[in-house]
Amino acid sequence: MLTASTRLVALLGHPVAHSRSPQMQNAAFAARGLDWAYLALDVPPERLAEAVRGLAAAGFAGANVTIPHKRAVVAL
């Protein structure tokens, strides 16, 4: 269950529905007893900059980036 103290980490990509990263990362967080959650966020390329700013503004602990954003995110 997510709470106000849950630390959030994201995967940014498009598409990401097929990704197994959330299951793997959340299992690792649970095994360590961490109140963290890993979310896959489907972000269209034209909204990448906005999404990155939103993660920072929302206090996300970090993010991974996958196709098609790997090159574009460097400038952000």
Side-chain angles (χ1 to χ4, degrees), residues 36-58:
W36 286 51
Y38 189 93
L39 310 170
L41 303 177
D42 193 321
V43 178
E46 65 274 11
R47 302 209 56 195
L48 180 61
E50 181 182 3
V52 169
R53 287 190 303 272
L55 293 176

Side-chain angles (χ1 to χ4, degrees), residues 12 45 47-53 69 71-76:
L12 303 178
R47 302 209 56 195
L48 180 61
E50 181 182 3
V52 169
R53 287 190 303 272
H69 304 319
R71 289 184 189 214
V73 80
V74 172
L76 302 173

Side-chain angles (χ1 to χ4, degrees), residues 1-74:
M1 175 165 54
L2 300 177
T3 69
S5 62
T6 302
R7 298 294 311 267
L8 299 175
V9 182
L11 169 64
L12 303 178
H14 184 69
V16 292
H18 65 282
S19 177
R20 294 186 181 175
S21 293
Q23 293 91 337
M24 292 186 301
Q25 297 296 339
N26 286 318
F29 293 153
R32 294 269 188 184
L34 298 173
D35 184 15
W36 286 51
Y38 189 93
L39 310 170
L41 303 177
D42 193 321
V43 178
E46 65 274 11
R47 302 209 56 195
L48 180 61
E50 181 182 3
V52 169
R53 287 190 303 272
L55 293 176
F60 273 64
N64 294 341
V65 181
T66 191
I67 302 299
H69 304 319
K70 286 192 179 276
R71 289 184 189 214
V73 80
V74 172

